[in-house]
């Protein structure tokens, strides 16, 4: 995609993620559609360790590329049995070095994450859509924005970022199940191997129907459609 639309809201919420992401959050609702979008800046070397979403499906849009995404082919549907040796078993993670304007889909239950492998800060747009299996959260987005509100650090001045605290890093892992997430605290906790040759079925994962619904809702909101609420 050459461009991904953003809801035109005043004062989007800025949060520093425990994994180093500088998030600018927007959340939208339209009927049964609930999603959160975050335009983010990813510093060199930053990115979350392997984790699993149970209540949201996710897309990554990489305007400049230079981000290495990884994802499992195996699925882990039980929130109480993460991909550890003593639970559901570790997995192979397949990597992709993203190109400019690439869209990568990451559905629930797959172990995934990313890292900025370049030597400069890179932009990344996240889109999370509430899955129909999600319990109710206040923002109707599958709990993802509420998660970062609780574990991240508010940014008051984008020119002077706050430090990432040990407490924030701890909450990132320990509070994750509250929001339907298994978050590892070291890379090999969920990973048994890493491969640069993803199977065809994994490489071809898409969800164009929901992505189109999201884009249509954002464009409608920006054109004044009162059926879409964004904040």
């Amino acid at each position: 995609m050459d461009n991904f639309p953003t809801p035109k809201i005043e004062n989007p919420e800025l949060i520093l993620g425990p994994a180093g992401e500088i998030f600018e959050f927007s959340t939208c609702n339209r009927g049964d559609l609930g999603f959160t979008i975050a335009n983010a800046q990813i510093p060199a070397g930053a990115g979350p360790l392997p984790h699993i979403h149970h209540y949201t499906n996710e897309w990554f849009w990489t305007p400049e590329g230079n981000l290495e995404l990884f994802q499992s082919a195996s699925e882990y549907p039980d929130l109480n049995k993460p991909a550890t040796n003593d639970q559901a078993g570790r997995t192979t993670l397949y990597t992709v070095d993203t190109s400019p304007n690439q869209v990568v889909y990451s559905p629930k239950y797959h172990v995934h994450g990313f890292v900025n492998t370049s030597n400069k800060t890179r932009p990344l747009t996240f889109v999370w859509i509430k899955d129909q299996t999600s319990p109710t959260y206040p923002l109707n987005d599958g709990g993802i924005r509420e998660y970062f509100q609780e574990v991240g650090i508010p940014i008051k001045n984008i020119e002077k970022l706050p430090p990432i605290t040990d407490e924030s890093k701890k909450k990132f892992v320990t509070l994750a199940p509250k929001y339907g997430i298994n978050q590892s605290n070291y890379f090999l906790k969920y990973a048994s191997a890493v491969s640069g040759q993803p199977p065809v079925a994994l490489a071809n994962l898409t969800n164009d129907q929901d992505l189109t619904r999201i884009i249509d809702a954002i464009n409608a909101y920006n054109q004044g459609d009162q059926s879409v609420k964004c904040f």
Side-chain angles (χ1 to χ4, degrees):
M1 295 180 63
D2 292 334
N3 185 44
F4 200 99
T6 299
K8 297 177 182 177
I9 63 174
E10 293 185 9
N11 303 317
E13 184 175 23
L14 300 176
I15 293 178
L16 180 63
E21 314 98 320
I22 304 164
F23 289 114
E24 182 180 281
F25 280 106
S26 304
T27 300
C28 296
N29 290 287
R30 186 188 212 182
D32 65 346
L33 175 65
F35 63 91
T36 283
I37 178 171
N39 291 323
Q41 297 294 320
I42 313 300
L49 291 169
H51 59 283
I52 307 164
H53 293 288
H54 293 267
Y55 302 152
T56 57
N57 300 293
E58 184 173 11
W59 292 264
F60 303 93
W61 178 55
T62 58
E64 296 180 3
N66 290 116
L67 296 165
E68 185 171 12
L69 275 62
F70 49 85
Q71 183 161 240
S72 70
S74 303
E75 297 184 31
Y76 295 85
D78 191 338
L79 179 62
N80 297 311
K81 292 183 178 180
T84 59
N85 274 341
D86 60 344
Q87 292 288 334
R90 295 188 298 166
T91 187
T92 297
L93 295 179
Y94 297 96
T95 64
V96 58
D97 293 316
T98 58
S99 303
N101 295 329
Q102 187 170 356
V103 177
V104 178
Y105 178 55
S106 183
K108 66 179 184 177
Y109 301 156
H110 292 261
V111 182
H112 70 283
F114 68 87
V115 64
N116 178 356
T117 56
S118 75
N119 59 5
K120 62 177 288 187
T121 297
R122 298 290 182 179
L124 175 62
T125 294
F126 301 78
V127 183
W128 298 272
I129 186 173
K130 178 190 69 173
D131 188 78
Q132 62 182 4
T133 62
S134 172
T136 300
Y137 290 95
L139 302 184
N140 193 39
D141 72 338
I144 195 70
R145 183 167 171 180
E146 293 95 325
Y147 173 52
F148 282 106
Q149 287 175 333
E150 184 161 5
V151 307
I153 304 167
I155 298 173
K156 297 180 180 180
N157 182 354
I158 195 66
E159 302 298 328
K160 189 177 181 181
L161 295 177
I164 298 175
T165 64
D166 290 339
E167 180 66 17
S168 179
K169 293 178 181 178
K170 180 180 178 181
K171 288 181 177 179
F172 190 48
V173 176
T174 59
L175 295 183
K178 176 181 175 182
Y179 300 96
I181 300 168
N182 294 129
Q183 174 64 60
S184 66
N185 58 357
Y186 63 93
F187 193 90
L188 293 178
K189 187 172 185 177
Y190 294 169
S192 58
V194 178
S195 170
Q197 297 181 327
V200 173
L202 183 60
N204 289 338
L205 280 177
T206 60
N207 184 355
D208 292 343
Q209 182 177 0
D210 280 336
L211 187 61
T212 298
R213 292 176 70 205
I214 289 169
I215 293 171
D216 287 347
I218 294 172
N219 288 332
Y221 174 80
N222 289 340
Q223 293 167 9
D225 187 335
Q226 297 298 308
S227 71
V228 187
K229 308 299 182 185
C230 295
F231 47 91

